Amino acid sequence: MTAPPQTRGSVGPPDEAPLPPLGSVGLLRWLWRQLTSMRTALILLFLLAVASVPGSVLPQRGGNPLRVDQWLTANPTLGPILDRLGFFDVYSSPWFAAVYLLLFISLIGCVLPRIRQHWRASRTPPPPAPRRMLRLPYATEFTSDAAPAEVLSSAESFLRSRRWRVRADIEGGWVAAEKGYARETGNLVFHLALVVILVGVAVGGLFGWKGNVVVREGTGFSNTLTQYDAWGGGRFVDPSSLTPFSFTLDTFNVDFERGDAQRGAPRLFEADVTFRESPTSDPVATTIEVNEPLDVDGAKVFLVGHGYAPHVIVRDSTGAVVFDDTVVFLPQDGNFTSTGVIKIPDSDPPLGFNGLFLPTADFTEERGGFSSFPAADNPELLLAAFRGDMGLDSGVPQSVYTLDTSKMNKVGLQSLAPGQVWDMPNDSGSIEFVGLERWASFQLAYDPGKEVALLAALVAIAGLTLSLFVRRRRVWVKVVPGEEAGTLVQVAALGKTEAVDLTEDVSSLAEHLGARRTAHERSAT
């Protein structure tokens, strides 16, 4: 049988009434509580770490634009998709900024109320002694020959000397003490330091700038936007107001290990430069090394890479020199097997070369041509010559490190040693491999927030250390006057966190108060 429906006035559980609508204000409050909860802050921190992974795995335009171009060339399908999503400029992408700002707001909304609560708690005296002291995890009971007031005064003095916050009620027969507020202080300092780190990073992102440039030996660089191979600045950076310094790469010094243990490892890696802080200042000679950048008015010049630049002379079919310069070749492996492109659109006919440079040329049937050592012990330049339209007039930008041969005719292949000349067939002219120069790549950066972020990181470590190693605990002393056996003293302690051992606190206090034997020992005898 089914139960009859409930009617008005009948006995039974009332029908559940629908909840009232939340309203716009209530919805905003609910969203704010969710955003400023510790759980949300942890989730956002995890998302920020996940969002930073592409910036560590994939090359970034702000750090190495040459590698970005190589990655896009090697991945023509996936590369453009990732590029549109901002995976090659992660830290400037909108989705990374959204997670960053949400984490910033969440931390502030989470930490500020806790600071107020912690301040109130630190000003609140310890609570009175509980009625049943011996039920606490750490407790002992013993008798003392001293009077109750004397016991409590001695306990108060002892605890104060150990820097406990003490509350004493002599007439009530108890003393309460608390210690370990620095644990919560360290926790709050750690989270505030995270906020300051975010502020420092934001200041660097808004007011800082970063650029990359490749400089060949004997050539120079001036800190203007047109001189950079790649440049990126914050939203509030005016490119026209960059510090007007300049430098010339005099020589690049590099040496490699020739022993069997670490053959090919770099042993010397430095650039001798001459720089000027302004166009009117005197030149100053210095050396830039790895982890020893040049500092000019807050901007740092880092040495990040190097390679070879073959010097070639190209003549057209009439014998006129149409190209006489060094060309930057990009290293592809640890032995500096390098690739490069030579474009001569104004020659007759237009010429283009895909080149492979081998510092120490070696050949096998399995691998073909390759470099067996990074130093230029036996340099060879392998060239593939093309003639025709390179597509430079199509309006589509092209990388200087790639050659579009779709509308060009292949002339031939040739390997050249320094000093050799290749007379190309079909009346296409000639090319001479004159020699070698070196180039160095520099990263120039100005980050006004890095000092703030570094200081905040040190403070965060200090706060985290406090929160991990300081123990929050309370201790009580309670006395009960006795007639013949003396004063009955109870000492107990309670930890505010799990897995904290307070045996030493109870034992040292009881020993100071003159513990003779516990009540449990007395009952056992």
Side-chain angles (χ1 to χ4, degrees):
M1 294 180 61
T2 59
Q6 295 288 338
T7 59
R8 184 185 296 266
S10 62
V11 179
D15 295 337
E16 293 184 0
L19 295 175
L22 193 60
S24 57
V25 176
L27 178 62
L28 291 176
R29 288 178 178 174
W30 181 83
L31 291 175
W32 176 252
R33 292 192 187 100
Q34 297 301 313
L35 179 60
T36 56
S37 66
M38 183 59 68
R39 179 180 61 182
T40 303
L42 292 175
I43 293 174
L44 290 172
L45 187 61
F46 174 75
L47 290 178
L48 189 69
V50 172
S52 302
V53 171
S56 303
V57 176
L58 298 174
Q60 300 295 296
R61 284 196 171 87
N64 197 332
L66 302 180
R67 288 190 59 194
V68 174
D69 294 337
Q70 293 175 7
W71 207 97
L72 292 173
T73 302
N75 300 271
T77 303
L78 182 61
I81 298 176
L82 297 179
D83 195 15
R84 285 194 295 270
L85 294 175
F87 278 77
F88 298 105
D89 202 0
V90 169
Y91 307 109
S92 299
S93 61
W95 48 270
F96 187 87
V99 177
Y100 186 92
L101 289 175
L102 287 175
L103 176 61
F104 183 80
I105 296 173
S106 179
L107 283 175
I108 291 178
C110 179
V111 172
L112 291 183
R114 288 178 57 192
I115 293 176
R116 183 170 60 252
Q117 296 171 4
H118 179 58
W119 172 258
R120 292 176 179 174
S122 63
R123 308 285 292 181
T124 303
R131 291 184 178 180
R132 300 180 178 180
M133 297 266 286
L134 298 182
R135 289 190 175 184
L136 296 179
Y138 300 91
T140 186
E141 186 180 58
F142 59 93
T143 57
S144 174
D145 297 332
E150 184 180 349
V151 172
L152 295 178
S153 298
S154 177
E156 181 182 2
S157 301
F158 177 80
L159 292 172
R160 291 188 186 278
S161 66
R162 298 292 183 91
R163 298 183 179 180
W164 289 72
R165 294 183 60 240
V166 181
R167 177 186 179 186
D169 187 352
I170 305 299
E171 295 182 358
W174 55 267
V175 172
E178 193 168 11
K179 195 174 186 180
Y181 281 96
R183 180 185 182 90
E184 180 63 16
T185 302
N187 192 297
L188 293 174
V189 167
F190 171 74
H191 287 87
L192 283 175
L194 289 182
V195 175
V196 177
I197 289 175
L198 294 178
V199 171
V201 174
V203 169
L206 293 174
F207 297 94
W209 51 265
K210 182 187 296 183
N212 292 77
V213 63
V214 172
V215 183
R216 294 170 293 174
E217 284 183 325
T219 63
F221 166 82
S222 58
N223 191 29
T224 59
L225 192 59
T226 57
Q227 292 281 302
Y228 283 94
D229 298 323
W231 188 86
R235 185 177 296 274
F236 300 116
V237 176
D238 182 8
S240 62
S241 62
L242 298 178
T243 305
F245 67 88
S246 61
F247 66 88
T248 300
L249 177 60
D250 300 322
T251 57
F252 184 81
N253 306 309
V254 62
D255 192 16
F256 302 96
E257 176 63 42
R258 296 183 178 272
D260 295 333
Q262 294 182 328
R263 181 176 174 81
R267 290 291 177 251
L268 180 64
F269 184 18
E270 61 184 19
D272 295 329
V273 300
T274 302
F275 77 96
R276 298 174 182 266
E277 293 188 3
S278 67
T280 58
S281 61
D282 297 329
V284 178
T286 188
T287 300
I288 304 176
E289 301 181 44
V290 178
N291 298 326
E292 295 185 11
L294 171 65
D295 192 342
V296 184
D297 195 20
K300 293 186 179 296
V301 182
F302 297 90
L303 179 61
V304 296
H306 65 99
Y308 294 96
H311 182 192
V312 297
I313 298 177
V314 181
R315 295 176 174 84
D316 62 11
S317 57
T318 64
V321 175
V322 294
F323 185 86
D324 183 0
D325 203 353
T326 56
V327 182
V328 172
F329 275 51
L330 303 179
Q332 305 298 314
D333 57 27
N335 287 326
F336 281 74
T337 300
S338 306
T339 60
V341 168
I342 305 171
K343 299 180 183 180
I344 312 172
D346 298 329
S347 64
D348 185 18
L351 295 173
F353 300 87
N354 278 325
L356 180 68
F357 175 70
L358 309 176
T360 303
D362 205 346
F363 298 88
T364 63
E365 294 182 359
E366 296 80 8
R367 298 180 58 181
F370 65 96
S371 177
S372 58
F373 193 74
D377 294 340
N378 182 32
E380 291 279 349
L381 181 61
L382 282 66
L383 295 172
F386 298 85
R387 56 187 292 177
D389 184 11
M390 287 176 278
L392 298 178
D393 297 330
S394 62
V396 179
Q398 291 187 12
S399 171
V400 295
Y401 301 105
T402 59
L403 177 65
D404 183 6
T405 60
S406 59
K407 298 181 181 180
M408 303 183 73
N409 298 319
K410 189 172 184 179
V411 176
L413 297 171
Q414 186 65 36
S415 175
L416 298 176
Q420 292 184 342
V421 179
W422 177 26
D423 292 320
M424 294 176 286
N426 301 324
D427 201 23
S428 299
S430 65
I431 181 170
E432 178 184 357
F433 180 21
V434 179
L436 288 176
E437 290 184 5
R438 290 188 177 273
W439 58 264
S441 60
F442 298 91
Q443 183 180 85
L444 293 85
Y446 172 69
D447 187 359
K450 62 182 184 298
E451 289 84 2
V452 175
L454 176 59
L455 180 61
L458 297 177
V459 173
I461 294 174
L464 184 61
T465 302
L466 286 176
S467 66
L468 291 177
F469 294 100
V470 174
R471 301 174 301 163
R472 177 83 179 274
R473 66 267 195 203
R474 291 171 177 169
V475 67
W476 294 274
V477 178
K478 191 175 183 180
V479 296
V480 178
E483 296 180 358
E484 296 180 357
T487 302
L488 183 63
V489 183
Q490 295 177 344
V491 179
L494 179 66
K496 298 288 288 183
T497 58
E498 297 180 358
V500 55
D501 187 2
L502 303 180
T503 304
E504 179 63 26
D505 292 327
V506 174
S507 300
S508 61
L509 180 56
E511 183 180 351
H512 174 75
L513 297 177
R516 292 203 305 254
R517 58 183 182 140
T518 66
H520 298 291
E521 292 173 342
R522 188 168 59 249
S523 62
T525 59

